[in-house]
Amino acid sequence: VRLLDFESRLLEETTAPIAPIVKLVRENGKNKIKISGMAVFKEDRMIGRLSNEDVPGYIWAMGDVEGGSIKVDTDLGTAVLEITTLDCRRNVTLRQDGGVRVALDVDATVSIGELGGFRDMTPETLLPYLVRMTQEEIRHEIMSTFQTAQNLNADIYELGTSVYRKYPKKWRKMKER
């Protein structure tokens, strides 16, 4: 998180800035810095945190990812997929009931890093299976992190800003919500 990005989110009316939570740990006689999640702010106060397990879902939903991995555990085996690129486009629309609908279109390129199990599967059946399971894992991670942010009542995804840009007149009436 760049300081400029943090400050610009502070200035926006609805967006909740985030920043890494770092701690100093001693390993092999040396001090090292470890990231232990992300702090979520409202205005100038920390109101909660995203755990290390929540962070990938946040990063993936924000898009423009070049690296990382996705672990897919199934009854048939385990796969670790290396992310080459992952982009996420969002489409924000207003619902008839006055709510906001957000659709995310995630486009990812991954390669198989590790496979364990899947003994009875041929490559022709394994590949589509892994694609489907990877899609489900990405969806699950994003939705889980979204739920965490919703529980904090924090707009870490800049959705309010997206609504403002697309529907500026309607935004004035709904910004308090």
Side-chain angles (χ1 to χ4, degrees):
V1 175
R2 297 179 316 168
L3 186 57
L4 181 62
D5 296 333
F6 185 87
E7 285 296 324
S8 70
R9 283 177 159 218
L10 271 177
L11 295 173
E12 291 178 9
E13 290 186 47
T14 62
T15 302
I18 61 168
I21 299 172
V22 295
K23 64 180 180 177
L24 192 61
V25 295
R26 194 142 179 92
E27 287 182 6
N28 301 326
K30 294 183 180 180
N31 288 333
K32 292 189 176 187
I33 294 175
K34 279 199 165 181
I35 295 177
S36 64
M38 302 288 275
V40 179
F41 292 82
K42 262 202 181 163
E43 296 173 359
D44 60 350
R45 300 193 119 148
M46 181 178 159
I47 60 163
R49 65 184 293 150
L50 299 179
S51 69
N52 278 343
E53 291 77 27
D54 288 325
V55 172
Y58 168 73
I59 292 171
W60 298 342
M62 296 305 288
D64 199 25
V65 176
E66 295 178 10
S69 62
I70 302 169
K71 185 175 182 181
V72 177
D73 283 315
T74 72
D75 294 338
L76 301 175
T78 300
V80 178
L81 304 151
E82 303 300 324
I83 299 171
T84 305
T85 61
L86 186 146
D87 195 26
C88 183
R89 289 172 299 285
R90 68 179 95 178
N91 184 22
V92 177
T93 55
L94 299 180
R95 298 188 322 233
Q96 292 294 331
D97 66 2
V100 176
R101 180 181 185 277
V102 180
L104 300 179
D105 181 20
V106 178
D107 184 20
T109 303
V110 300
S111 60
I112 299 171
E114 297 177 31
L115 283 178
F118 307 107
R119 295 195 197 293
D120 297 330
M121 297 186 83
T122 65
E124 292 78 22
T125 58
L126 178 60
L127 223 44
Y129 179 75
L130 286 178
V131 167
R132 191 173 71 253
M133 293 295 105
T134 302
Q135 290 170 335
E136 288 179 17
E137 183 62 23
I138 290 170
R139 177 179 168 72
H140 171 75
E141 291 289 331
I142 290 173
M143 293 305 293
S144 175
T145 304
F146 185 82
Q147 185 64 50
T148 300
Q150 218 172 17
N151 291 341
L152 292 171
N153 196 26
D155 179 10
I156 62 174
Y157 299 102
E158 301 177 328
L159 299 176
T161 301
S162 296
V163 172
Y164 168 73
R165 287 182 183 145
K166 195 167 180 180
Y167 306 100
K169 290 179 182 173
K170 292 184 179 184
W171 170 249
R172 287 184 197 94
K173 297 175 188 170
M174 63 188 309
K175 75 178 179 178
E176 294 304 317
R177 293 185 293 127

